[in-house]
Amino acid sequence: MTHPPSDSLTRIYRQAQFLMSAERPDQCPQDDLNEVAFAGRSNAGKSSALNALCGQTKLARTSKTPGRTQLINLFGLPHGWGRLVDLPGYGFAKVSRQQVESWQKHLENYLQTRPNLVAVVLLVDIRHELKPFDTQMLDWCTRQNMPVHVLLTKSDKLKQGAAKNTLLKTGRSIRAIAPHASVQLFSALKRTGLEELAAMLDQYLSPASMGEHAVE
């Protein structure tokens, strides 16, 4: 396996490009590239995290109204390194119940049927305890033997000591559900935790094949 360069944060993720939006998994690219899905409640900061990781302000759309991400949004990485996937946010959307149920169905279909999926990055607001969606996602990853990395977002909202204590406390709650989950502090605003996130993604993603797709 070809490993990414040490400066993969700039060489790989900052070259990410919007690829497409899809309503259903069967509309996604039919190839063998690995995908890491970013999941979380609508106010957890998925789009902000993706933008910070990729060093772009408008790669993933952000909105002051949580719940606007209604589609499966895919972002391609260079050198055949795989894709990052922004899944529909859950909760807080000011739309009909039928629309919310439709989003949830698309999300579940992607998780259950997408063969390219190799890992999930779950975003949780550090200021709140785990919500039912979070525990359901952790439980699903455990049952499916799916690697899951948790970002405790908006860590800049807490003082350093409080953030570290929350990391320990919430980390225990997370591992009680998903024993092999990894957890970190993250702040898109302060751009902290980016290197750690990139290192985890490096472990999950790899070129589809050696040769022309490999990172030189």
Side-chain angles (χ1 to χ4, degrees):
M1 171 183 168
T2 300
H3 294 282
S6 59
D7 60 343
S8 64
L9 190 60
T10 56
R11 286 285 302 278
I12 299 296
Y13 304 109
R14 291 184 181 176
Q15 295 184 54
Q17 295 183 344
F18 174 76
L19 184 62
M20 64 174 296
S21 294
E23 285 191 356
R24 306 185 310 273
D26 59 9
Q27 296 174 333
C28 296
Q30 303 300 306
D31 55 30
D32 60 355
L33 293 183
N34 290 341
E35 295 175 354
V36 174
F38 283 62
R41 287 174 61 82
S42 300
N43 61 342
K46 289 189 293 85
S47 297
S48 295
L50 283 164
N51 287 337
L53 171 71
C54 300
Q56 304 180 44
T57 59
K58 297 181 180 179
L59 180 68
R61 294 183 179 181
T62 60
S63 173
K64 293 182 179 180
T65 303
R68 288 290 176 84
T69 302
Q70 304 177 22
L71 302 173
I72 301 168
N73 295 304
L74 297 95
F75 305 93
L77 299 172
H79 311 295
W81 199 251
R83 287 184 286 266
L84 305 177
V85 182
D86 186 8
L87 294 178
Y90 185 84
F92 289 96
K94 295 182 179 179
V95 297
S96 67
R97 180 176 178 179
Q98 181 179 5
Q99 183 67 61
V100 171
E101 291 176 349
S102 175
W103 299 352
Q104 185 178 6
K105 180 180 179 181
H106 295 329
L107 186 154
E108 292 175 349
N109 284 343
Y110 172 86
L111 292 172
Q112 294 173 2
T113 67
R114 184 66 173 161
N116 305 65
L117 180 64
V118 296
V120 171
V121 175
L122 177 62
L123 292 88
V124 177
D125 189 325
I126 194 172
R127 299 169 297 177
H128 306 298
E129 296 182 354
L130 296 177
K131 304 295 185 182
F133 171 83
D134 304 322
T135 58
Q136 290 169 12
M137 181 64 69
L138 291 168
D139 180 67
W140 180 86
C141 288
T142 299
R143 289 186 285 105
Q144 299 296 321
N145 198 29
M146 178 70 62
V148 57
H149 182 62
V150 181
L151 299 185
L152 297 182
T153 62
K154 307 180 184 181
S155 61
D156 58 282
K157 301 296 184 181
L158 300 181
K159 293 183 178 180
Q160 186 174 8
K164 290 183 177 180
N165 288 336
T166 302
L167 174 62
L168 292 174
K169 178 182 177 181
T170 305
R172 287 193 293 268
S173 298
I174 289 169
R175 293 189 181 94
I177 305 170
H180 300 294
S182 51
V183 190
Q184 70 163 98
L185 298 175
F186 187 86
S187 170
L189 180 64
K190 299 295 184 180
R191 302 183 64 78
T192 55
L194 293 175
E195 292 79 8
E196 186 175 352
L197 172 58
M200 292 303 302
L201 294 174
D202 288 350
Q203 296 181 34
Y204 300 144
L205 298 168
S206 65
S209 62
M210 302 295 285
E212 62 175 331
H213 291 302
V215 178
E216 299 177 354

